[in-house]
Amino acid sequence: MSSAQIRFFTCFLADWIQICPILDEVFRATFTSLPCPERYVSLISRESESALEGGVLAEVLEPGVFKGVATTTINKLIKAGFTTVESIAVTPPRELADVAGMGADTALKVCRLARLQVDPGFIPALEVLEMRRSMIKCKTGSKELDRILGGGIETGAITELIGEYGSGKTQICFTLSVTAQLPVEEGGFGSNVCAIDTEGTFMPERVMQIAEERGLDPTKILEGILVARAYNSEHQQILIGSLAELVEKSDVKLVIVDSMIGHFRGEYIGRGTLSERQQKLGSCLSHLLRVAEAFNVAVVITNQVMSTPDVVYGDPNKPTGGHVMAHACTHRVYLRKGKQNTRLARVIDSPSLPEERIRFAITAAGVEDSEE
Ligand code: GTP
Ligand code: MG
């Protein structure tokens, strides 16, 4: 991981927590609702330590680092896994108090002092451009689909595939699991793939068929895909919480969650549960986005549609997950069934791509251009 990435990751969080107290609350909710906050904290600590070796960013947490803070307090923090000033700065005070077992006032004081010490986080736009250049794109199998995606599925972002049953969401994911393993020069990521299967639809036989049709070794392709079956939304949260460690350790550049919302829709029924559902969904999505940005990984999630009977003209289907889903995803692609094996894809919301519609086909080789 480059120092620029680490700085972006830690300073981005620290900066925003400092600027906007409301975000502090959001981060608190996110961290505490994630299954394993300590793991996340230690991840940041560990990364900052490695950054320190390069002399770039982190200051080691040791007695005396904060004026007026007792050595016992610092030792409690170190014991809880905080090894750098940055790791304190990016952690909400309430979580510091919980994890390190200290009073709320002390936690707030320590947190404020840490935030005063870290780099405020503003960087020249040119540096942002440089970071964007480290982004790579993976081909989907259809040149037309790649074209409307600006070259393919990109790293550092969440791409959402939305569509009704049979619209091709899972088939695109299968094809990407194969193409992502191609070398970068051939339009892949040259990396492994991680798939979180929430609906029990991951079919290794179909992935093997797609690999064979593309002249690749199907066994090798399957070896390069790490699959986890999520049995409910809690389990899905745990799996998503473990991604930061996994992507780094297992050289993963593509993370797939198929589907992102299925369990949440099935488990949270009725209006009364909606806010809790959306809060948990938002927490999972925000964690996925942090993983995407911090590790320059492409995240692809699938989403279903629901029918809105009040629509008289046009498509009555709209994506599920509401504003939480809409805001969290970087690029949204809407899929519809076409004639026979063809499907229609349209980019419906993206900060960098125009809204365009194309046709592709589902074949034995997965996703391909349509002959029509
Ligand atoms: P849900 O998960 O039910 O919401 O749908 P989805 O959008 O994930 O659908 P999926 O991507 O699984 O697409 C299913 C469609 O792919 C089927 O209706 C088939 O038409 C097509 N399909 C699946 N396997 C094959 C295959 O081996 N060859 C061909 N030509 N088409 C296939
Ligand atoms: Mg599917």
Side-chain angles (χ1 to χ4, degrees), residues 5 16 52 81 97-98 105 130 149 162 165 175 184 196 209 211 240 281 293 319-320 325 327 331 347 367 370:
Q5 281 173 287
W16 277 96
L52 186 74
D98 283 353
D105 288 349
E130 200 184 300
L149 287 169
I162 308 155
Y165 68 92
T175 314
V184 175
I196 298 179
Q209 181 192 25
I240 289 175
L281 180 65
E293 288 178 344
T320 60
M325 196 73 136
H327 289 302
H331 310 294
V347 174
V367 167
S370 160

Side-chain angles (χ1 to χ4, degrees), residues 163-174 199 201 206 209 258-259 302-304 335 337 340-341 343 362-366:
E164 61 172 327
Y165 68 92
S167 57
K169 305 181 293 292
T170 300
Q171 301 303 313
I172 295 177
C173 294
F174 286 164
E199 296 180 331
T201 51
R206 175 71 173 128
Q209 181 192 25
D258 183 17
S259 93
T302 67
N303 186 10
Q304 301 156 347
L335 305 168
K337 287 184 205 166
Q340 293 155 354
N341 69 337
R343 299 291 184 272
I362 302 174
T363 69

Side-chain angles (χ1 to χ4, degrees), residues 72-95:
T72 46
T73 305
I74 301 291
N75 286 340
K76 273 186 193 173
L77 289 164
I78 294 170
K79 210 171 158 201
F82 296 91
T83 56
T84 65
V85 173
E86 278 73 16
S87 63
I88 305 287
V90 298
T91 305
R94 248 183 277 184
E95 190 184 323

Side-chain angles (χ1 to χ4, degrees), residues 36-106:
C36 211
E38 297 86 347
R39 177 184 291 183
Y40 200 70
V41 168
S42 70
L43 169 87
I44 295 169
S45 308
R46 187 159 46 79
E47 282 169 5
S48 301
E49 264 183 328
S50 62
L52 186 74
E53 281 160 26
V56 184
L57 109 101
E59 195 172 341
V60 173
L61 185 67
E62 56 193 1
V65 75
F66 301 130
K67 264 193 186 155
V69 176
T71 303
T72 46
T73 305
I74 301 291
N75 286 340
K76 273 186 193 173
L77 289 164
I78 294 170
K79 210 171 158 201
F82 296 91
T83 56
T84 65
V85 173
E86 278 73 16
S87 63
I88 305 287
V90 298
T91 305
R94 248 183 277 184
E95 190 184 323
L96 276 186
D98 283 353
V99 177
M102 58 177 62
D105 288 349
T106 313

Side-chain angles (χ1 to χ4, degrees), residues 249-279:
K249 210 164 52 188
S250 306
D251 184 28
V252 168
K253 276 270 173 250
L254 171 66
V255 171
I256 293 166
V257 186
D258 183 17
S259 93
M260 183 70 208
I261 194 140
H263 285 316
F264 289 95
R265 283 186 85 194
E267 291 167 27
Y268 294 86
I269 299 160
R271 288 213 159 261
T273 62
L274 196 63
S275 75
E276 192 189 345
R277 181 192 94 169
Q278 290 301 85
Q279 193 263 324

